[in-house]
């Protein structure tokens, strides 16, 4: 198998993993899903990092994402890397990522492959929600209960009361 075929196969496997993760995440959270449902986009992408390990990624979500999940894809012939989003970089069309070869070494001027899932935290709807209809609650008379008299006798003891014995020590 050629190098290009391996890269394509690795990219496809990575995209499948991100998509499966997004489906599992969405399925796991469906029991208490928000209304309207959040807008989600999953994709795979590639870019060449700059001299500090950054690159800008375009997305088609149409709104600023609240959460972006990333998954690096490392083809067989490529070196591994760590990948993170850049805080404050999310817009309605792009976000930035940074690739690190090691904890303190950026992966500079390198092609990287990754999968992502972008989630809009607010509903994708741009319509104004209709305020809830309020009504005055009906009041009904609640019957009052009169206490039932009870005759409870004081408790009696069936044990004999000890009497003090004389003679102390």
């Amino acid at each position: 198998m050629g190098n290009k075929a391996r890269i394509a196969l690795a990219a496809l496997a990575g995209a499948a993993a991100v998509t499966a993760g997004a489906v599992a995440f969405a399925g796991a959270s469906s029991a208490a899903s928000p209304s309207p449902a959040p807008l989600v986009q999953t994709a795979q992408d590639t870019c060449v990092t700059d001299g500090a390990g950054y690159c800008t990624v375009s997305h088609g979500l149409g709104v600023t994402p609240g959460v972006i999940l990333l998954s690096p894809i490392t083809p067989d012939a490529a070196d591994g890397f760590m990948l993170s989003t850049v805080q404050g970089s999310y817009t309605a069309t792009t976000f930035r990522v940074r690739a690190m070869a090691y904890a303190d070494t950026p992966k500079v001027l390198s092609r990287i492959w990754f999968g992502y899932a972008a989630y809009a935290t607010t509903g994708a709807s741009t319509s104004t929600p209709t305020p809830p209809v309020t009504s005055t609650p009906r009041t009904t008379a609640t019957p009052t209960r009169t206490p039932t008299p009870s005759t409870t006798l004081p408790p009696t003891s069936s044990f004999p009361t000890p009497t003090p014995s004389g003679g102390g020590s």
Side-chain angles (χ1 to χ4, degrees):
M1 178 183 306
N3 196 26
K4 287 185 179 184
R6 284 189 200 134
I7 291 171
L9 184 59
L12 182 60
V18 169
T19 303
V23 169
F25 178 76
S29 64
S30 66
S33 64
S35 180
L39 186 58
V40 180
Q41 179 193 8
T42 60
Q44 77 175 41
D45 209 341
T46 183
C47 64
V48 176
T49 60
D50 63 14
Y54 295 97
C55 66
T56 300
V57 180
S58 295
H59 67 79
L61 201 56
V63 296
T64 302
V67 175
I68 297 177
L69 301 175
L70 293 172
S71 179
I73 300 170
T74 310
D76 189 30
D79 293 328
F81 59 95
M82 296 169 280
L83 189 62
S84 62
T85 57
V86 178
Q87 183 178 7
S89 71
Y90 302 176
T91 71
T93 57
T94 64
F95 62 93
R96 287 180 47 87
V97 298
R98 188 169 197 205
M100 300 292 286
Y102 302 99
D104 58 352
T105 307
K107 189 165 180 75
V108 299
L109 305 174
S110 299
R111 178 158 301 278
I112 59 170
W113 296 265
F114 54 92
Y116 70 87
Y119 296 85
T121 54
T122 59
S125 172
T126 57
S127 64
T128 306
T130 307
V133 177
T134 58
S135 62
T136 308
R138 290 190 317 168
T139 57
T140 56
T142 305
T144 57
R145 291 178 39 143
T146 55
T148 307
S150 88
T151 54
T152 307
L153 299 174
T156 59
S157 173
S158 60
F159 299 107
T161 306
T163 55
S165 60
S169 55

